[in-house]
Amino acid sequence: MSKVSDLLYQLISIPSINPAIGTDTELQGEARVAAFLQQYFESHGVDTTLEEVAPGRSNIIARFATVDGRPRILFGPHMDTVGVEGMDSPFEAQTRDGKIYGRGACDTKGPMASMICALLENKEALANSPVAIDFVGFVDEEFAQVGAKAFAEKYANDYIFALAGEPTECQIVHANRGSLWFTLEAKGVSTHSSTPHLGRNAINELSQAIHDLIAYGSDLEQYANPILGQPTLSLAMIRGGEAFNQVPQSAELDVDMRITPEFLAQEGGAEKALKASFSSHQHIEMKKYGHSAPLVTPTNLPILTHLMSSLGYSEAVTSPGCTDAAPLSAAGIPAITTGPGSIKTAHQIDEHIAVKDLEAGVDYFNKIIQSLSNYTA
C-alpha cells in the first residue's frame, strides 16, 4: 500500500461527522482527526498549532516554513464529514476494484492525504521557498464554515492565496454560487380537528406562504451572474403537526438557496427581499440558518495565472457547491478549490476515491509546490 493510501485509511478510521448532522456524539466532531494530524505532522518534524474556534472544535495549522515576512499561501482541506446513514462500516476503509471506500474518502480526507504527502515530500525545500506554505485543517465546512471564517478573520492579512482541498478531479475551481439557508416558521392555534374553525391551521398558513415563495424563486433571472448563472431556490425539509385529530399549532419549512453576488447586492438586502415575498402572511416568520458567500476569484490574479501556466491549464472552472474557499476569499484571501477525486461520489453511501487519482493528487500538489519555487509575489 502506498504512503498516501495508508494515510487515507487512517483518516477514514477516525469518525468526524459534523456535529450539526445526526445525534451520535461518539461519531461527531473533528477533535480526534485534529489530534491525529498534530501527532502525524510532529512525528515528521513539522510545527503545529491547534486553535479552538468553537467548544471542542479546533483548526489545525502546520507550518512548513517559519513566519518571517515572506509571502504565504495555505492548503486548506476540511476535517469534518457528513453523516453515515445507510452505510455499512463507514469508518473501515476498504479497497475494491482500485478504489478506496469509506466516509470522507473523497470529501475531503482523500484530497487532504494527497496534500499532506506532497507537503512532506517537499519539506526541506519548503523551509527555504520564496513562498511559504501552511497546511490548515478546517472544522465545520459541511455546515456553517466557522473554521474557515474564524481563521480568515484572524489571519487574512498573512496570506496571499489559498487552495481549499476538495474533490474537483484536480481542476481549478475559481467560482461558485453561495448558499443561504433559512427556515419559515408558521404559528397556528391548536384545537380539535373536528372543530377546525376554532383554531388556526399552521400547515395551511405555511402552504400559502410556500406558494408565494415558489413564485418568487421562479423569477430570479435579474440576479444572474455571467459566470455563475442565476440563483436557485430549493424546498428542502418540512415539518409540522402533532396528531391526526389536532389542528397543528406549528409548521416549518427549511429552504436552500444558491445565490450570486448580484442577489446579495440588491437594494435593501437579500433578506429583506425574501421576507417581502411572503409578507402578506402575518403568521409566518423567517429565521436565517446559515450563509456562505459566493466565490468569484479573478482568473487574471498573478499567482493563479502562474499556477495555471505551470500546470498547463488553459482555463479555470466553476462548481455548483460551496466550499471553504468562499469565506476565505470574502475575508481577503483570494482562493480556489482543487484536489483529486470526484464530487459525484461525495456524500454518497458508496463514497470512494480511485487509488490512481489519490496518487495522481500527490503528483498534482507536488507540481503546485514546486512551481512556487520560482514565483515572485
Side-chain angles (χ1 to χ4, degrees):
M1 183 181 293
S2 66
K3 182 178 293 186
V4 67
S5 293
D6 179 67
L7 177 55
L8 178 55
Y9 261 61
Q10 294 182 73
L11 290 169
I12 289 173
S13 73
I14 307 171
S16 56
I17 297 173
N18 190 295
I21 302 170
T23 58
D24 192 338
T25 56
E26 290 298 314
L27 303 178
Q28 292 177 334
E30 304 89 350
R32 285 162 293 195
V33 173
F36 167 81
L37 289 175
Q38 184 173 40
Q39 186 278 327
Y40 192 85
F41 280 122
E42 292 185 350
S43 72
H44 287 83
V46 180
D47 291 335
T48 64
T49 303
L50 294 178
E51 292 195 347
E52 190 173 66
V53 298
R57 307 179 73 182
S58 297
N59 292 334
I60 180 170
I61 305 170
R63 299 192 184 278
F64 284 80
T66 57
V67 179
D68 54 11
R70 78 184 89 171
R72 307 188 79 82
I73 72 170
L74 67 91
F75 283 12
H78 61 88
M79 299 182 288
D80 60 321
T81 71
V82 294
V84 295
E85 185 176 356
M87 297 183 73
D88 294 326
S89 305
F91 308 114
E92 295 178 15
Q94 301 177 37
T95 300
R96 301 192 304 272
D97 300 323
K99 302 170 185 176
I100 297 176
Y101 288 80
R103 179 55 83 219
C106 80
D107 188 13
T108 63
K109 292 178 178 179
M112 179 190 298
S114 293
M115 282 180 164
I116 291 172
C117 286
L119 288 165
L120 290 174
E121 287 180 12
N122 291 275
K123 177 174 171 286
E124 292 185 8
L126 283 169
N128 300 304
S129 174
V131 178
I133 300 180
D134 293 337
F135 172 94
V136 184
F138 292 117
V139 302
D140 197 43
E141 189 273 349
E142 296 288 2
F143 184 61
Q145 302 175 320
V146 298
K149 290 173 182 176
F151 181 88
E153 182 178 355
K154 184 174 182 179
Y155 294 109
N157 294 330
D158 296 350
Y159 293 88
I160 63 168
F161 196 61
L163 290 80
E166 293 281 350
T168 71
E169 300 180 45
C170 289
Q171 298 183 87
I172 289 177
V173 175
H174 78 108
N176 60 251
R177 288 179 300 175
S179 65
L180 178 61
W181 294 348
F182 61 92
T183 297
L184 296 189
E185 294 185 344
K187 300 298 182 183
V189 176
S190 182
T191 186
H192 197 282
S193 58
S194 65
T195 55
H197 59 284
L198 298 179
R200 186 176 65 246
N201 191 308
I203 292 178
N204 288 350
E205 296 281 340
L206 183 60
S207 65
Q208 294 168 24
I210 288 174
H211 179 272
D212 290 345
L213 187 62
I214 291 174
Y216 174 78
S218 66
D219 187 27
L220 296 172
E221 290 185 7
Q222 59 186 311
Y223 305 116
N225 178 274
I227 298 173
L228 300 173
Q230 71 180 58
T232 58
L233 186 149
S234 175
L235 311 185
M237 289 185 287
I238 192 165
R239 299 171 295 279
E242 293 81 30
F244 274 104
N245 59 352
Q246 186 175 348
V247 170
Q249 63 181 343
S250 65
E252 295 180 339
L253 169 72
D254 295 337
V255 182
D256 179 329
M257 285 199 72
R258 298 297 159 146
I259 56 177
T260 61
E262 290 79 1
F263 182 79
L264 285 178
Q266 61 184 294
E267 186 176 353
E271 193 168 331
K272 181 179 179 180
L274 280 169
K275 288 181 178 178
S277 70
F278 50 83
S279 60
S280 62
H281 307 287
Q282 59 178 322
H283 302 295
I284 298 289
E285 291 185 9
M286 171 183 165
K287 292 191 175 180
K288 192 174 178 182
Y289 205 40
H291 168 252
S292 178
L295 172 72
V296 183
T297 297
T299 55
N300 62 356
L301 192 72
I303 190 168
L304 181 51
T305 300
H306 175 84
L307 289 179
M308 290 177 62
S309 176
S310 300
L311 294 166
Y313 288 0
S314 60
E315 63 180 7
V317 301
T318 64
S319 171
C322 302
T323 74
D324 280 332
L328 294 174
S329 183
I333 307 175
I336 60 167
T337 303
T338 195
S342 171
I343 196 65
K344 294 176 182 178
T345 75
H347 301 192
Q348 303 298 312
I349 61 173
D350 66 341
E351 181 177 352
H352 61 268
I353 187 170
V355 174
K356 64 179 180 62
D357 292 341
L358 185 68
E359 294 173 347
V362 180
D363 295 335
Y364 173 71
F365 289 119
N366 266 323
K367 289 180 182 178
I368 289 175
I369 293 166
Q370 291 161 13
S371 76
L372 295 170
S373 64
N374 59 9
Y375 178 72
T376 303

